[in-house]
Amino acid sequence: MKFILRWIVTALAVGVAVWIVPGISVFGMETWAAVALFGLVLALINMSIKPILQFISLPVTCLTLGIFYLVVNAFLLYLAQWLANNVLGLSFHIESFGSAFVGAIVISIVSAILNTITGANEE
């Protein structure tokens, strides 16, 4: 049940990022279906790969006072885009690293707000 809640929160955050950030777009299929599938891919990546990357990048994250954490999130957005496009056949497009960086900020803020409201992070 918690995974479904995290998936919904991530999909809503991705939807906000697609709506707000000019360099992130979805083509081809129905927009909300593509955002939901991309949210699923991103939620799976966030649960499996993100903790490992956070641990590996911890010294750099401490030196940059947490800013490098956003670079890790931008990289994970690119990874999710590649997986969604090549495995699921979506047409999710991130134009540049700047768009991915801003998208990572938007997704982080919206996810934090929605996780607080829904209680998705409570153990």
Side-chain angles (χ1 to χ4, degrees), residues 19-58:
W19 181 50
I20 291 177
V21 180
I24 300 177
S25 55
V26 179
F27 301 107
M29 70 183 329
E30 187 69 33
T31 303
W32 286 106
V35 166
L37 287 174
F38 186 80
L40 174 64
V41 171
L42 190 60
L44 289 172
I45 287 173
N46 283 343
M47 290 178 65
S48 60
I49 298 173
K50 190 175 184 177
I52 298 167
L53 288 178
Q54 285 176 334
F55 180 74
I56 292 171
S57 67
L58 187 61

Side-chain angles (χ1 to χ4, degrees), residues 7-115:
W7 174 21
I8 292 169
V9 165
T10 304
L12 288 173
V14 168
V16 170
V18 168
W19 181 50
I20 291 177
V21 180
I24 300 177
S25 55
V26 179
F27 301 107
M29 70 183 329
E30 187 69 33
T31 303
W32 286 106
V35 166
L37 287 174
F38 186 80
L40 174 64
V41 171
L42 190 60
L44 289 172
I45 287 173
N46 283 343
M47 290 178 65
S48 60
I49 298 173
K50 190 175 184 177
I52 298 167
L53 288 178
Q54 285 176 334
F55 180 74
I56 292 171
S57 67
L58 187 61
V60 178
T61 304
C62 289
L63 285 175
T64 61
L65 302 175
I67 301 296
F68 191 74
Y69 183 65
L70 295 172
V71 174
V72 171
N73 285 346
F75 170 73
L76 291 176
L77 270 179
Y78 271 125
L79 179 63
Q81 173 199 341
W82 183 82
L83 284 172
N85 290 344
N86 292 328
V87 175
L88 297 178
L90 298 179
S91 294
F92 199 88
H93 180 68
I94 301 174
E95 194 171 305
S96 65
F97 179 76
S99 298
F101 190 78
V102 173
I105 292 171
V106 169
I107 290 172
S108 296
I109 291 171
V110 172
S111 292
I113 292 169
L114 290 176
N115 282 331

